Amino acid sequence: MTHVFVHGGQSLHTIDLAAAAPEQDSARLDALPYVIRILLENLYRHQAWGAAVSDAEIARLWRWREHVGADLPLHVARVILPDSSGLPVLQDLAALRDAVAEAGGDAARVDTRVPVDLIVDHSLQVDRWGDAQAVQFNLGREFERNDERYRFLKWAQQAYKGLRVIPPGTGIIHQINLEYLASVVARQQRADGEWAYPDFVIGGDSHTPMVNALGVLGWGVGGIDAESALLGQAYTFPIPEVVGVRLSGSVRAPALSTDAALLITQRLRAAGVTGTMVEFFGPAVAALSIPDRATIANMAPEYGATCGFFPLDAQSIAYLRMTRGDEAQAGFIQAYAQAHHLWRDDATRGTPDYARVIEIDLSEAEPAVAGPRRPQDRMALGQVPADFRRRLTQPIAEGGFGAEPAPASSPAAIGHGAVVLAAITSCTNTSNPGVMLAAGLLARNALARGISPPAWMKRSLAPGSRAVTRYLDDAGLLAPLAEQGFHVIGYGCTTCGGKSGPLTPAAADAITDGKLVTAAVLSGNRNFEGRIHKLVRANYIGSPAMVVAYALAGRIDLDFEREPLGLDADGTPVMLRDIWPSPGDIAALLPHASQASLYREMYAPEALDSAMWQALDAPRGLHFPWDPDSHYLVAPPFFRNLPQDALADLSQRLRRARVLAAFDDSLTTDHISPSGEIPADTPAGQYLSAAGIAARDFNTYVARRCNFHVMTRATFANIRIKNALVPGVEGGWTTHFPDGTRQTVFDAASAYAADGSASIILAGKDYGMGSSRDWAAKGSALLGVRAVIAESFERIHRANLVGMGVLPLAFAPGQGWRALGLSGAERYTFENVQAGILDGEPIQVIADDGTRQVRFEVTAQVLTQAERQLMSEGGIPAAVLHHFLTPPAAPAGH
Ligand code: F3S
């Protein structure tokens, strides 16, 4: 099936799936979803290159519908990492080098085997806003705060040969991937000549699927999986169920593409696409621009899918011409895709056969926001005021805020419902010129009518690349946005990742004094409790224009249909509809964002360089010189004290287990491992204080991810986490058994570890949803959690648990810990653990509270042969250490 593809006078090796198709399946190539074709190419090519890929695995993928869940040994073309998850990955590699050297192995073998791009975008905080100096000031603070971490990154840049670092101040990982990094069709020189093959990327951030908009298959993984993939190991992934989503209609004004993305998110969540791969087709697709597709593809984690794929077509090529400015490359990609069955061609070749099809009519999208806690809870604007007022006094347990009634907010006084934070942020939207221009137009139109946000509201604009600033400026919209308080404050995730920085003192004082429930509106895609700002309890996501609209409104419960935003100079009420930009206004400015020169300049090598980065002084050499006094970079303990027989050790420990915490549905990784500020009165804060660090220098959990002491103490310590073992209490508390005392989760876990009890977690549905955050699994493991029993798991976190040797277990369908009458006070014994992991047999659990026993069965959520192997070895750290201590086999050409 190896084929010679000739284009532009060049001959390249490729995989010809049509020629490779088994006899009986050859007619079926066009019926395969495009994502399956890309995965098949991956298997064939790596088999040709000498990797361990069996014919049986390839045969199963041809008949994917019958083999959903079966093991696929994939090899990625490249890995992308933000600094937040990338630093711990590189730190683990540094510790692995040390461990290999200590054990007498060859430390230099520990190196990246595929290209790795690390984009420093997750550490920027909005310290300063509202003036033209904010960009430089915030960047300066970022360098100050992250000095040690960035020096480590510079060391890593010279220590690992395949690593490229995109310095702070450039933009957001997924937007840079879309606009610059993705090759779409990769080329590689090998001993037998040059090869061409589909780009395929995994990223240490859950929004990696954004690049699926450009026909590039990719998805988010935990840092733990990224670690093994970049070491050149096969990345094991189960054959996915592929769901077709047929898009029809078109987005109608006044709705914007973000509203369509929110509609799709809500529909797909409701349809249950968790763990599937979604592929878009249908009459609406051809007209969707790549930025519009990107906004939809970006939200794959919010609808629960691994990715939301748009096959290559004319829109992709037009976008590549614009952003890459390379006609020959665009022509090559089109020719490759057309010759290799990767070109979307429903008209002549028909629609692939999907496991199921979901229909969505884009004309149903209406101006909306999603909130106040979950991205899938979309509401039409008209519903927001009543929903907020209802939740305000509703008990917390029923989804409300349990607040005392108090005067509502007004421009003069901050009350319940005041919008104290308005942030245009997030790769989801800042990559989409249409919605960014709409925000600028709304700001300009409001200015013309004399309408502005109240002074006590914090506002920010964090573009995902410098291209955005340029086209907003060219379109004459940067100035009106700034006049409305939306100055550019830097290039990074900021508020979307919880780095919103301090509120205005007026807002912070009013909230604290009045115990107010206030709101944030952001054009991000995550709004889980405690994520955006610790003082802001109601968080809504919407288009950038919607952020401006709510900023102008000043409160979340304004009824835009009936209430004006304010009065103009003549005393005439100004309604939102009076100043909302028309599609024609937006379209007229789009050419500003479509100039190839813009992207060429922004991504020129000199533009990607940074004087501040260059000026950083960093160590050199194979091994990182750990500083024993550092509280940022502490060598992780994952490669130490590894048991000889991990499965026997796990079985033994699970004979005596205690429930560390019990949760209901939808516990997020943000709850498990928070990313924001480190409160002084938490175990992590106390640890830092004891180390002599002042509270103002604590920095955030993300910034301290390379200090396992902090991160272990942070686990299950989100200020909003609700552990059912301490009803009515928020934060990292639990009940220690059998004495029944209230303790921090960290203290209770330490006490269980000291008395030889394993800790376990009880949970409801979708355990570990939200951001891919390997510390949620690493922290659990370091707390001594050996198993999590949940009704269901989100994909990445489940895989991360396995990666850390923590056993994910599922209750029988219809069962849950509450339904079984468990309280969490019981002592737990697990039987048949080894056979449960290796052979999928039921595992028996006996929960004994001293007066009664509850017996039930659970099943191990260890899904592939590779995962069973990992559990047997005790997780990825033990497995990779073993790998590098095993002498290399004879060269296999791979
Ligand atoms: Fe994108 Fe960063 Fe948010 S990667 S989704 S802007 S945290």
PDB file of all heavy atoms in Angstrom, residues 269 301-302 372-376 525-533 536-537 539 541 666-671 718 720 769-771:
ATOM      1  N   ARG A 269     -24.301  17.750  23.921  1.00  0.00           N
ATOM      2  CA  ARG A 269     -24.267  17.277  25.314  1.00  0.00           C
ATOM      3  C   ARG A 269     -25.526  16.452  25.591  1.00  0.00           C
ATOM      4  O   ARG A 269     -25.471  15.375  26.160  1.00  0.00           O
ATOM      5  CB  ARG A 269     -24.269  18.460  26.245  1.00  0.00           C
ATOM      6  CG  ARG A 269     -23.105  18.755  27.113  1.00  0.00           C
ATOM      7  CD  ARG A 269     -22.507  17.695  27.950  1.00  0.00           C
ATOM      8  NE  ARG A 269     -21.092  17.995  28.115  1.00  0.00           N
ATOM      9  CZ  ARG A 269     -20.208  17.221  28.698  1.00  0.00           C
ATOM     10  NH1 ARG A 269     -20.557  16.066  29.212  1.00  0.00           N
ATOM     11  NH2 ARG A 269     -18.967  17.558  28.788  1.00  0.00           N
ATOM     12  N   PRO A 301     -14.570  19.640  23.957  1.00  0.00           N
ATOM     13  CA  PRO A 301     -14.600  19.166  25.345  1.00  0.00           C
ATOM     14  C   PRO A 301     -15.879  19.577  26.061  1.00  0.00           C
ATOM     15  O   PRO A 301     -16.346  18.865  26.951  1.00  0.00           O
ATOM     16  CB  PRO A 301     -13.400  19.830  26.004  1.00  0.00           C
ATOM     17  CG  PRO A 301     -12.615  20.455  24.936  1.00  0.00           C
ATOM     18  CD  PRO A 301     -13.441  20.540  23.704  1.00  0.00           C
ATOM     19  N   GLU A 302     -16.440  20.718  25.658  1.00  0.00           N
ATOM     20  CA  GLU A 302     -17.669  21.154  26.313  1.00  0.00           C
ATOM     21  C   GLU A 302     -18.843  20.272  25.886  1.00  0.00           C
ATOM     22  O   GLU A 302     -19.758  20.033  26.667  1.00  0.00           O
ATOM     23  CB  GLU A 302     -17.964  22.625  26.010  1.00  0.00           C
ATOM     24  CG  GLU A 302     -17.152  23.597  26.856  1.00  0.00           C
ATOM     25  CD  GLU A 302     -15.673  23.615  26.530  1.00  0.00           C
ATOM     26  OE1 GLU A 302     -15.323  23.416  25.356  1.00  0.00           O
ATOM     27  OE2 GLU A 302     -14.853  23.796  27.447  1.00  0.00           O
ATOM     28  N   PRO A 372     -25.045  29.659  34.902  1.00  0.00           N
ATOM     29  CA  PRO A 372     -23.936  30.379  35.515  1.00  0.00           C
ATOM     30  C   PRO A 372     -22.773  29.486  35.934  1.00  0.00           C
ATOM     31  O   PRO A 372     -21.790  29.991  36.477  1.00  0.00           O
ATOM     32  CB  PRO A 372     -24.578  31.001  36.756  1.00  0.00           C
ATOM     33  CG  PRO A 372     -25.646  30.026  37.153  1.00  0.00           C
ATOM     34  CD  PRO A 372     -26.156  29.449  35.866  1.00  0.00           C
ATOM     35  N   ARG A 373     -22.869  28.159  35.674  1.00  0.00           N
ATOM     36  CA  ARG A 373     -21.770  27.309  36.139  1.00  0.00           C
ATOM     37  C   ARG A 373     -21.228  26.350  35.088  1.00  0.00           C
ATOM     38  O   ARG A 373     -20.163  25.822  35.260  1.00  0.00           O
ATOM     39  CB  ARG A 373     -22.242  26.451  37.337  1.00  0.00           C
ATOM     40  CG  ARG A 373     -22.521  27.221  38.599  1.00  0.00           C
ATOM     41  CD  ARG A 373     -22.755  26.257  39.740  1.00  0.00           C
ATOM     42  NE  ARG A 373     -23.041  26.955  40.978  1.00  0.00           N
ATOM     43  CZ  ARG A 373     -24.257  27.211  41.435  1.00  0.00           C
ATOM     44  NH1 ARG A 373     -25.312  26.815  40.747  1.00  0.00           N
ATOM     45  NH2 ARG A 373     -24.421  27.839  42.564  1.00  0.00           N
ATOM     46  N   ARG A 374     -22.033  26.086  34.038  1.00  0.00           N
ATOM     47  CA  ARG A 374     -21.585  25.060  33.095  1.00  0.00           C
ATOM     48  C   ARG A 374     -21.757  25.561  31.661  1.00  0.00           C
ATOM     49  O   ARG A 374     -22.755  26.208  31.340  1.00  0.00           O
ATOM     50  CB  ARG A 374     -22.403  23.770  33.268  1.00  0.00           C
ATOM     51  CG  ARG A 374     -22.252  23.137  34.638  1.00  0.00           C
ATOM     52  CD  ARG A 374     -22.822  21.745  34.662  1.00  0.00           C
ATOM     53  NE  ARG A 374     -24.158  21.689  34.053  1.00  0.00           N
ATOM     54  CZ  ARG A 374     -24.837  20.566  33.875  1.00  0.00           C
ATOM     55  NH1 ARG A 374     -24.319  19.416  34.257  1.00  0.00           N
ATOM     56  NH2 ARG A 374     -26.040  20.579  33.319  1.00  0.00           N
ATOM     57  N   PRO A 375     -20.799  25.216  30.781  1.00  0.00           N
ATOM     58  CA  PRO A 375     -20.862  25.736  29.420  1.00  0.00           C
ATOM     59  C   PRO A 375     -22.024  25.165  28.606  1.00  0.00           C
ATOM     60  O   PRO A 375     -22.406  25.745  27.590  1.00  0.00           O
ATOM     61  CB  PRO A 375     -19.516  25.320  28.822  1.00  0.00           C
ATOM     62  CG  PRO A 375     -18.992  24.240  29.704  1.00  0.00           C
ATOM     63  CD  PRO A 375     -19.573  24.452  31.059  1.00  0.00           C
ATOM     64  N   GLN A 376     -22.553  24.033  29.003  1.00  0.00           N
ATOM     65  CA  GLN A 376     -23.645  23.462  28.218  1.00  0.00           C
ATOM     66  C   GLN A 376     -25.006  24.017  28.620  1.00  0.00           C
ATOM     67  O   GLN A 376     -26.013  23.683  28.019  1.00  0.00           O
ATOM     68  CB  GLN A 376     -23.650  21.924  28.300  1.00  0.00           C
ATOM     69  CG  GLN A 376     -23.936  21.332  29.657  1.00  0.00           C
ATOM     70  CD  GLN A 376     -22.666  20.989  30.407  1.00  0.00           C
ATOM     71  OE1 GLN A 376     -21.709  21.765  30.397  1.00  0.00           O
ATOM     72  NE2 GLN A 376     -22.634  19.855  31.072  1.00  0.00           N
ATOM     73  N   ASN A 525     -14.735  29.446  27.369  1.00  0.00           N
ATOM     74  CA  ASN A 525     -15.607  28.282  27.246  1.00  0.00           C
ATOM     75  C   ASN A 525     -15.673  27.449  28.515  1.00  0.00           C
ATOM     76  O   ASN A 525     -16.226  26.369  28.517  1.00  0.00           O
ATOM     77  CB  ASN A 525     -15.224  27.403  26.049  1.00  0.00           C
ATOM     78  CG  ASN A 525     -13.744  27.374  25.840  1.00  0.00           C
ATOM     79  OD1 ASN A 525     -12.996  27.816  26.704  1.00  0.00           O
ATOM     80  ND2 ASN A 525     -13.306  26.848  24.724  1.00  0.00           N
ATOM     81  N   ARG A 526     -15.158  27.979  29.574  1.00  0.00           N
ATOM     82  CA  ARG A 526     -15.239  27.262  30.841  1.00  0.00           C
ATOM     83  C   ARG A 526     -15.738  28.243  31.886  1.00  0.00           C
ATOM     84  O   ARG A 526     -15.211  29.361  31.997  1.00  0.00           O
ATOM     85  CB  ARG A 526     -13.858  26.753  31.260  1.00  0.00           C
ATOM     86  CG  ARG A 526     -13.318  25.655  30.361  1.00  0.00           C
ATOM     87  CD  ARG A 526     -13.903  24.322  30.783  1.00  0.00           C
ATOM     88  NE  ARG A 526     -13.819  23.293  29.764  1.00  0.00           N
ATOM     89  CZ  ARG A 526     -12.788  22.475  29.607  1.00  0.00           C
ATOM     90  NH1 ARG A 526     -11.734  22.578  30.369  1.00  0.00           N
ATOM     91  NH2 ARG A 526     -12.830  21.534  28.699  1.00  0.00           N
ATOM     92  N   ASN A 527     -16.701  27.851  32.665  1.00  0.00           N
ATOM     93  CA  ASN A 527     -17.214  28.770  33.685  1.00  0.00           C
ATOM     94  C   ASN A 527     -17.516  28.031  34.986  1.00  0.00           C
ATOM     95  O   ASN A 527     -18.382  28.435  35.743  1.00  0.00           O
ATOM     96  CB  ASN A 527     -18.466  29.501  33.185  1.00  0.00           C
ATOM     97  CG  ASN A 527     -19.523  28.557  32.629  1.00  0.00           C
ATOM     98  OD1 ASN A 527     -19.274  27.372  32.463  1.00  0.00           O
ATOM     99  ND2 ASN A 527     -20.695  29.075  32.367  1.00  0.00           N
ATOM    100  N   PHE A 528     -16.796  26.938  35.214  1.00  0.00           N
ATOM    101  CA  PHE A 528     -17.032  26.174  36.434  1.00  0.00           C
ATOM    102  C   PHE A 528     -16.773  27.040  37.660  1.00  0.00           C
ATOM    103  O   PHE A 528     -15.944  27.943  37.622  1.00  0.00           O
ATOM    104  CB  PHE A 528     -16.131  24.939  36.475  1.00  0.00           C
ATOM    105  CG  PHE A 528     -16.241  24.096  35.245  1.00  0.00           C
ATOM    106  CD1 PHE A 528     -15.117  23.724  34.532  1.00  0.00           C
ATOM    107  CD2 PHE A 528     -17.486  23.678  34.788  1.00  0.00           C
ATOM    108  CE1 PHE A 528     -15.219  22.951  33.388  1.00  0.00           C
ATOM    109  CE2 PHE A 528     -17.591  22.904  33.643  1.00  0.00           C
ATOM    110  CZ  PHE A 528     -16.455  22.546  32.945  1.00  0.00           C
ATOM    111  N   GLU A 529     -17.442  26.679  38.714  1.00  0.00           N
ATOM    112  CA  GLU A 529     -17.329  27.462  39.948  1.00  0.00           C
ATOM    113  C   GLU A 529     -15.887  27.596  40.418  1.00  0.00           C
ATOM    114  O   GLU A 529     -15.131  26.633  40.398  1.00  0.00           O
ATOM    115  CB  GLU A 529     -18.076  26.733  41.053  1.00  0.00           C
ATOM    116  CG  GLU A 529     -19.536  26.981  41.044  1.00  0.00           C
ATOM    117  CD  GLU A 529     -20.149  26.271  42.216  1.00  0.00           C
ATOM    118  OE1 GLU A 529     -20.196  25.039  42.168  1.00  0.00           O
ATOM    119  OE2 GLU A 529     -20.560  26.949  43.157  1.00  0.00           O
ATOM    120  N   GLY A 530     -15.552  28.775  40.874  1.00  0.00           N
ATOM    121  CA  GLY A 530     -14.232  28.981  41.465  1.00  0.00           C
ATOM    122  C   GLY A 530     -13.148  29.180  40.432  1.00  0.00           C
ATOM    123  O   GLY A 530     -12.017  29.472  40.770  1.00  0.00           O
ATOM    124  N   ARG A 531     -13.486  29.005  39.131  1.00  0.00           N
ATOM    125  CA  ARG A 531     -12.437  29.056  38.113  1.00  0.00           C
ATOM    126  C   ARG A 531     -12.104  30.490  37.701  1.00  0.00           C
ATOM    127  O   ARG A 531     -10.928  30.841  37.558  1.00  0.00           O
ATOM    128  CB  ARG A 531     -12.881  28.258  36.889  1.00  0.00           C
ATOM    129  CG  ARG A 531     -11.881  28.315  35.733  1.00  0.00           C
ATOM    130  CD  ARG A 531     -12.364  27.452  34.586  1.00  0.00           C
ATOM    131  NE  ARG A 531     -11.588  27.651  33.386  1.00  0.00           N
ATOM    132  CZ  ARG A 531     -10.705  26.789  32.895  1.00  0.00           C
ATOM    133  NH1 ARG A 531     -10.477  25.669  33.517  1.00  0.00           N
ATOM    134  NH2 ARG A 531     -10.063  27.020  31.774  1.00  0.00           N
ATOM    135  N   ILE A 532     -13.120  31.292  37.497  1.00  0.00           N
ATOM    136  CA  ILE A 532     -12.884  32.600  36.883  1.00  0.00           C
ATOM    137  C   ILE A 532     -12.326  33.586  37.912  1.00  0.00           C
ATOM    138  O   ILE A 532     -11.340  34.258  37.680  1.00  0.00           O
ATOM    139  CB  ILE A 532     -14.183  33.146  36.249  1.00  0.00           C
ATOM    140  CG1 ILE A 532     -14.746  32.109  35.253  1.00  0.00           C
ATOM    141  CG2 ILE A 532     -13.956  34.491  35.572  1.00  0.00           C
ATOM    142  CD1 ILE A 532     -13.795  31.703  34.149  1.00  0.00           C
ATOM    143  N   HIS A 533     -12.982  33.688  39.035  1.00  0.00           N
ATOM    144  CA  HIS A 533     -12.485  34.529  40.127  1.00  0.00           C
ATOM    145  C   HIS A 533     -13.135  34.050  41.403  1.00  0.00           C
ATOM    146  O   HIS A 533     -14.332  33.777  41.432  1.00  0.00           O
ATOM    147  CB  HIS A 533     -12.819  36.003  39.877  1.00  0.00           C
ATOM    148  CG  HIS A 533     -12.063  36.913  40.789  1.00  0.00           C
ATOM    149  ND1 HIS A 533     -12.371  37.057  42.122  1.00  0.00           N
ATOM    150  CD2 HIS A 533     -10.979  37.690  40.560  1.00  0.00           C
ATOM    151  CE1 HIS A 533     -11.511  37.893  42.666  1.00  0.00           C
ATOM    152  NE2 HIS A 533     -10.655  38.288  41.742  1.00  0.00           N
ATOM    153  N   VAL A 536     -16.345  35.809  42.434  1.00  0.00           N
ATOM    154  CA  VAL A 536     -17.457  35.924  41.478  1.00  0.00           C
ATOM    155  C   VAL A 536     -18.130  34.570  41.313  1.00  0.00           C
ATOM    156  O   VAL A 536     -17.516  33.621  40.837  1.00  0.00           O
ATOM    157  CB  VAL A 536     -16.946  36.437  40.107  1.00  0.00           C
ATOM    158  CG1 VAL A 536     -18.130  36.668  39.176  1.00  0.00           C
ATOM    159  CG2 VAL A 536     -16.152  37.708  40.288  1.00  0.00           C
ATOM    160  N   ARG A 537     -19.393  34.518  41.701  1.00  0.00           N
ATOM    161  CA  ARG A 537     -20.029  33.201  41.786  1.00  0.00           C
ATOM    162  C   ARG A 537     -20.843  32.828  40.553  1.00  0.00           C
ATOM    163  O   ARG A 537     -21.073  31.649  40.307  1.00  0.00           O
ATOM    164  CB  ARG A 537     -20.884  33.141  43.046  1.00  0.00           C
ATOM    165  CG  ARG A 537     -19.999  33.294  44.283  1.00  0.00           C
ATOM    166  CD  ARG A 537     -20.764  33.153  45.544  1.00  0.00           C
ATOM    167  NE  ARG A 537     -21.430  31.870  45.629  1.00  0.00           N
ATOM    168  CZ  ARG A 537     -22.410  31.595  46.482  1.00  0.00           C
ATOM    169  NH1 ARG A 537     -22.821  32.535  47.323  1.00  0.00           N
ATOM    170  NH2 ARG A 537     -22.971  30.419  46.513  1.00  0.00           N
ATOM    171  N   ASN A 539     -21.013  32.896  36.553  1.00  0.00           N
ATOM    172  CA  ASN A 539     -20.135  33.137  35.415  1.00  0.00           C
ATOM    173  C   ASN A 539     -20.817  32.713  34.121  1.00  0.00           C
ATOM    174  O   ASN A 539     -21.310  31.588  34.020  1.00  0.00           O
ATOM    175  CB  ASN A 539     -18.827  32.364  35.606  1.00  0.00           C
ATOM    176  CG  ASN A 539     -18.087  32.825  36.849  1.00  0.00           C
ATOM    177  OD1 ASN A 539     -17.478  33.880  36.857  1.00  0.00           O
ATOM    178  ND2 ASN A 539     -18.171  32.055  37.927  1.00  0.00           N
ATOM    179  N   ILE A 541     -20.739  32.562  29.795  1.00  0.00           N
ATOM    180  CA  ILE A 541     -19.894  32.652  28.612  1.00  0.00           C
ATOM    181  C   ILE A 541     -20.757  33.002  27.407  1.00  0.00           C
ATOM    182  O   ILE A 541     -21.925  32.603  27.318  1.00  0.00           O
ATOM    183  CB  ILE A 541     -19.082  31.368  28.397  1.00  0.00           C
ATOM    184  CG1 ILE A 541     -19.968  30.146  28.220  1.00  0.00           C
ATOM    185  CG2 ILE A 541     -18.125  31.126  29.538  1.00  0.00           C
ATOM    186  CD1 ILE A 541     -19.172  28.883  28.035  1.00  0.00           C
ATOM    187  N   SER A 666     -20.794  15.433  37.921  1.00  0.00           N
ATOM    188  CA  SER A 666     -20.097  16.543  37.243  1.00  0.00           C
ATOM    189  C   SER A 666     -18.975  17.170  38.050  1.00  0.00           C
ATOM    190  O   SER A 666     -18.776  18.381  38.003  1.00  0.00           O
ATOM    191  CB  SER A 666     -21.096  17.651  36.841  1.00  0.00           C
ATOM    192  OG  SER A 666     -22.130  17.114  36.085  1.00  0.00           O
ATOM    193  N   LEU A 667     -18.262  16.381  38.825  1.00  0.00           N
ATOM    194  CA  LEU A 667     -17.104  16.945  39.513  1.00  0.00           C
ATOM    195  C   LEU A 667     -16.014  17.198  38.461  1.00  0.00           C
ATOM    196  O   LEU A 667     -15.641  16.298  37.714  1.00  0.00           O
ATOM    197  CB  LEU A 667     -16.568  16.007  40.595  1.00  0.00           C
ATOM    198  CG  LEU A 667     -15.577  16.741  41.507  1.00  0.00           C
ATOM    199  CD1 LEU A 667     -16.321  17.503  42.600  1.00  0.00           C
ATOM    200  CD2 LEU A 667     -14.571  15.805  42.116  1.00  0.00           C
ATOM    201  N   THR A 668     -15.533  18.421  38.400  1.00  0.00           N
ATOM    202  CA  THR A 668     -14.573  18.773  37.343  1.00  0.00           C
ATOM    203  C   THR A 668     -13.132  18.587  37.825  1.00  0.00           C
ATOM    204  O   THR A 668     -12.868  18.542  39.029  1.00  0.00           O
ATOM    205  CB  THR A 668     -14.748  20.245  36.915  1.00  0.00           C
ATOM    206  OG1 THR A 668     -14.345  21.083  38.004  1.00  0.00           O
ATOM    207  CG2 THR A 668     -16.172  20.552  36.546  1.00  0.00           C
ATOM    208  N   THR A 669     -12.243  18.561  36.860  1.00  0.00           N
ATOM    209  CA  THR A 669     -10.821  18.493  37.219  1.00  0.00           C
ATOM    210  C   THR A 669     -10.400  19.778  37.934  1.00  0.00           C
ATOM    211  O   THR A 669      -9.433  19.783  38.681  1.00  0.00           O
ATOM    212  CB  THR A 669      -9.939  18.293  35.974  1.00  0.00           C
ATOM    213  OG1 THR A 669     -10.332  19.239  34.988  1.00  0.00           O
ATOM    214  CG2 THR A 669     -10.069  16.892  35.422  1.00  0.00           C
ATOM    215  N   ASP A 670     -11.144  20.856  37.667  1.00  0.00           N
ATOM    216  CA  ASP A 670     -10.875  22.116  38.366  1.00  0.00           C
ATOM    217  C   ASP A 670     -11.237  21.998  39.846  1.00  0.00           C
ATOM    218  O   ASP A 670     -10.583  22.586  40.702  1.00  0.00           O
ATOM    219  CB  ASP A 670     -11.731  23.213  37.720  1.00  0.00           C
ATOM    220  CG  ASP A 670     -11.007  24.521  37.676  1.00  0.00           C
ATOM    221  OD1 ASP A 670     -10.059  24.615  36.877  1.00  0.00           O
ATOM    222  OD2 ASP A 670     -11.369  25.416  38.457  1.00  0.00           O
ATOM    223  N   HIS A 671     -12.285  21.251  40.142  1.00  0.00           N
ATOM    224  CA  HIS A 671     -12.598  20.974  41.539  1.00  0.00           C
ATOM    225  C   HIS A 671     -11.494  20.121  42.166  1.00  0.00           C
ATOM    226  O   HIS A 671     -11.100  20.325  43.307  1.00  0.00           O
ATOM    227  CB  HIS A 671     -13.923  20.191  41.663  1.00  0.00           C
ATOM    228  CG  HIS A 671     -15.149  21.018  41.431  1.00  0.00           C
ATOM    229  ND1 HIS A 671     -16.044  20.743  40.413  1.00  0.00           N
ATOM    230  CD2 HIS A 671     -15.643  22.099  42.073  1.00  0.00           C
ATOM    231  CE1 HIS A 671     -17.027  21.628  40.468  1.00  0.00           C
ATOM    232  NE2 HIS A 671     -16.811  22.458  41.457  1.00  0.00           N
ATOM    233  N   ASN A 718     -10.283  22.828  45.948  1.00  0.00           N
ATOM    234  CA  ASN A 718     -10.952  23.982  45.326  1.00  0.00           C
ATOM    235  C   ASN A 718     -11.878  24.627  46.354  1.00  0.00           C
ATOM    236  O   ASN A 718     -12.575  23.928  47.097  1.00  0.00           O
ATOM    237  CB  ASN A 718     -11.756  23.491  44.116  1.00  0.00           C
ATOM    238  CG  ASN A 718     -12.429  24.621  43.355  1.00  0.00           C
ATOM    239  OD1 ASN A 718     -13.156  25.424  43.922  1.00  0.00           O
ATOM    240  ND2 ASN A 718     -12.207  24.657  42.053  1.00  0.00           N
ATOM    241  N   ARG A 720     -14.614  25.888  46.090  1.00  0.00           N
ATOM    242  CA  ARG A 720     -16.044  25.644  45.871  1.00  0.00           C
ATOM    243  C   ARG A 720     -16.390  24.151  45.835  1.00  0.00           C
ATOM    244  O   ARG A 720     -17.515  23.791  45.537  1.00  0.00           O
ATOM    245  CB  ARG A 720     -16.503  26.281  44.557  1.00  0.00           C
ATOM    246  CG  ARG A 720     -16.383  27.785  44.537  1.00  0.00           C
ATOM    247  CD  ARG A 720     -17.560  28.441  45.257  1.00  0.00           C
ATOM    248  NE  ARG A 720     -17.340  29.866  45.366  1.00  0.00           N
ATOM    249  CZ  ARG A 720     -17.366  30.546  46.513  1.00  0.00           C
ATOM    250  NH1 ARG A 720     -17.607  29.926  47.655  1.00  0.00           N
ATOM    251  NH2 ARG A 720     -17.161  31.833  46.528  1.00  0.00           N
ATOM    252  N   MET A 769     -14.744  15.754  34.601  1.00  0.00           N
ATOM    253  CA  MET A 769     -15.002  16.513  33.380  1.00  0.00           C
ATOM    254  C   MET A 769     -14.220  17.832  33.436  1.00  0.00           C
ATOM    255  O   MET A 769     -13.704  18.227  34.471  1.00  0.00           O
ATOM    256  CB  MET A 769     -16.503  16.775  33.225  1.00  0.00           C
ATOM    257  CG  MET A 769     -17.122  17.579  34.345  1.00  0.00           C
ATOM    258  SD  MET A 769     -18.912  17.750  34.173  1.00  0.00           S
ATOM    259  CE  MET A 769     -19.015  18.979  32.894  1.00  0.00           C
ATOM    260  N   GLY A 770     -14.177  18.498  32.281  1.00  0.00           N
ATOM    261  CA  GLY A 770     -13.499  19.794  32.244  1.00  0.00           C
ATOM    262  C   GLY A 770     -12.096  19.697  31.678  1.00  0.00           C
ATOM    263  O   GLY A 770     -11.791  18.787  30.907  1.00  0.00           O
ATOM    264  N   SER A 771     -11.260  20.631  32.073  1.00  0.00           N
ATOM    265  CA  SER A 771      -9.917  20.741  31.492  1.00  0.00           C
ATOM    266  C   SER A 771      -9.120  19.456  31.658  1.00  0.00           C
ATOM    267  O   SER A 771      -9.274  18.763  32.658  1.00  0.00           O
ATOM    268  CB  SER A 771      -9.123  21.831  32.215  1.00  0.00           C
ATOM    269  OG  SER A 771      -9.824  23.021  32.238  1.00  0.00           O
TER     270      SER A 771
END
